[in-house]
Amino acid sequence: QVQLVESGGGLVQPGGSLRLSCAASGNIFSINMMDWYRQRPGKQRELVATITNVGTTNYADSVKGRFTISRDNAKNTMYLQMNSLKPEDTAVYYCKAEIRSRLTYYSDYWGQGTQVTVSS
């Protein structure tokens, strides 16, 4: 079955950078939209960035100009380059992908999340 695995989280100082990865594996025929979400303790999960299968991107206002979402379709992998990080960026970051197998309609899949902590 399909699995999404995030990596690249960690502790970074304000103003620093991190690069998150989200690798999809399993019985994948195609991947449509891929997204990065984040969630702080006690807060609702929020959409951070979105990228379509042809590379069209959208960003939340809070990260626009600082974060860059990208994908490598050959590797079934999505990335989130995070620059100029702020303490308010601290959250668990989740990837989501709309994926179909060769005999199945598109379904949403979520990764387990990776912790990003921005602290001085």
Side-chain angles (χ1 to χ4, degrees), residues 1-2 25-29 99-102:
Q1 190 55 274
V2 172
S25 61
N27 298 324
I28 298 171
F29 177 69
I99 301 173
R100 64 166 291 182
S101 67
R102 284 172 173 80

Side-chain angles (χ1 to χ4, degrees), residues 33-38 46-52 56-70 78-82 93-97 110:
M33 186 174 292
M34 302 184 79
D35 313 290
W36 284 103
Y37 286 77
R38 67 185 182 187
E46 62 179 323
L47 180 64
V48 174
T50 297
I51 185 167
T52 71
T56 302
T57 60
N58 284 286
Y59 299 90
D61 289 341
S62 59
V63 306
K64 195 171 297 183
R66 300 187 297 119
F67 291 11
T68 302
I69 188 172
S70 62
M78 175 178 63
Y79 306 95
L80 185 67
Q81 178 66 47
M82 305 185 294
Y93 284 72
Y94 298 90
C95 66
K96 183 172 78 74
W110 289 86

Side-chain angles (χ1 to χ4, degrees), residues 17-28:
S17 298
L18 283 174
R19 182 175 181 256
L20 306 183
S21 299
C22 172
S25 61
N27 298 324
I28 298 171

